[in-house]
Amino acid sequence: MTHLRIAGVDGCKGGWVIAASNETLSQPVTLSFTRAVAGLLAGPDAPDVLAVDIPIGLTGSGDRAPDSQARKLTPPGSVFQAAKRPILGHARDHGLLKSTPANRAALREWCRSNGHAMSGSHSYALYERTAELDALVRFQSNCDIREVHPEVCFWALNGEKRLIASKKTARGLQERRRLLNSAFTIEILDLQMPHSITALDDVFDALAALWTAARIARDEARHIPEAPGRDLELNRDIAIWY
């Protein structure tokens, strides 16, 4: 039997943490680190299915429907505002993707002059990663790339019940570790951490994304909202999968 290669990816300091296995999760879960997702997709072990924690389908204005719904399912402050298509485009074209005080000021002024609402600093910190995936999904045809949000994955793992504690707390990490141990039938902390600067919550998020990647590969995954909108520029649904 030929297995599909799958991976769950979450952003961490300096790059991305990758959790990989196959669609039945029968192969040992491996953890690794990469500076850019493109390198993962170009390598010999490139996944067939990639679940990534970053907004992919974008809107021209207003909040994305999956983000609005995800906020109702997850702990407060878990879901940041996604970049708007015209703002991301201007930031990319004018070298403003990196979140620095000067870039934020320049982009804020452009938004003010062009009638756009500027996103907060936490959302701006995701612009570089959002642009990275936005470019990849345009030209990558060998990998099924889907957007996930780890906290939505944990909500699903928890019997579709909202977790209360933040992942940044000891209680929150314990709850998520318990859910992952149950999903993978292994002791998560026995896995080899991929990078000295990778935080434990980033590893947990990549594993939650991997769980969803397996569901996608087995055609068992669902998404919010049930009737997603459409990013016409990318020609794909605007949805968060779990």
Side-chain angles (χ1 to χ4, degrees):
M1 176 181 178
T2 301
H3 286 291
L4 295 176
R5 294 185 297 269
I6 65 168
V9 178
D10 183 69
C12 64
K13 185 177 180 181
W16 305 83
V17 57
I18 306 158
S21 184
N22 64 358
E23 85 283 2
T24 61
L25 300 177
S26 58
Q27 293 178 351
V29 176
T30 61
L31 295 173
S32 58
F33 173 85
T34 185
R35 295 288 178 187
V37 178
L40 168 67
L41 299 183
D45 296 323
D48 300 295
V49 176
L50 177 69
V52 59
D53 175 23
I54 208 72
I56 297 179
L58 304 178
T59 60
S61 62
D63 200 14
R64 302 191 319 158
D67 296 338
S68 299
Q69 189 167 340
R71 291 188 185 99
K72 301 175 183 178
L73 309 177
T74 61
S78 299
V79 182
F80 300 138
Q81 186 182 48
K84 305 297 182 294
R85 172 68 60 199
I87 301 175
L88 186 73
H90 180 82
R92 180 192 59 232
D93 296 343
H94 293 80
L96 302 176
L97 287 174
K98 190 172 182 62
S99 183
T100 66
N103 286 352
R104 288 195 296 273
L107 192 57
R108 189 176 296 112
E109 179 58 33
W110 181 84
C111 287
R112 187 181 298 114
S113 300
N114 289 272
H116 295 295
M118 179 69 177
S119 56
S121 58
H122 288 296
S123 298
Y124 198 159
L126 299 177
Y127 275 30
E128 283 186 287
R129 299 182 191 273
T130 302
E132 180 181 350
L133 266 296
D134 192 68
L136 277 179
V137 298
R138 293 171 188 267
F139 307 110
Q140 175 57 241
S141 60
N142 296 326
C143 179
D144 183 358
I145 304 174
R146 308 281 186 100
E147 175 187 347
V148 300
H149 194 295
E151 290 301 310
V152 174
C153 301
F154 283 120
W155 164 83
L157 278 166
N158 197 40
E160 299 190 358
K161 295 178 182 178
R162 183 180 190 175
L163 293 176
I164 303 302
S166 166
K167 68 178 184 177
K168 297 296 184 181
T169 65
R171 178 187 172 188
L173 283 174
Q174 184 178 30
E175 288 177 336
R176 287 156 181 80
R177 175 184 169 188
R178 173 181 58 81
L179 292 169
L180 290 170
N181 284 340
S182 175
F184 290 99
T185 64
I186 57 174
E187 171 50 60
I188 293 303
L189 294 186
D190 287 342
L191 294 171
Q192 183 66 40
M193 296 299 112
H195 199 269
S196 61
I197 60 173
T198 302
L200 189 58
D201 61 294
D202 293 330
V203 173
F204 284 9
D205 286 351
L207 290 165
L210 177 65
W211 176 77
T212 294
R215 285 163 58 87
I216 293 169
R218 299 194 304 263
D219 200 26
E220 297 172 358
R222 299 168 63 188
H223 54 72
I224 56 173
E226 289 188 9
R230 194 80 176 166
D231 183 328
L232 297 180
E233 187 167 321
L234 293 183
N235 191 31
R236 63 186 290 150
D237 289 341
I238 304 175
I240 293 174
W241 291 81
Y242 65 92

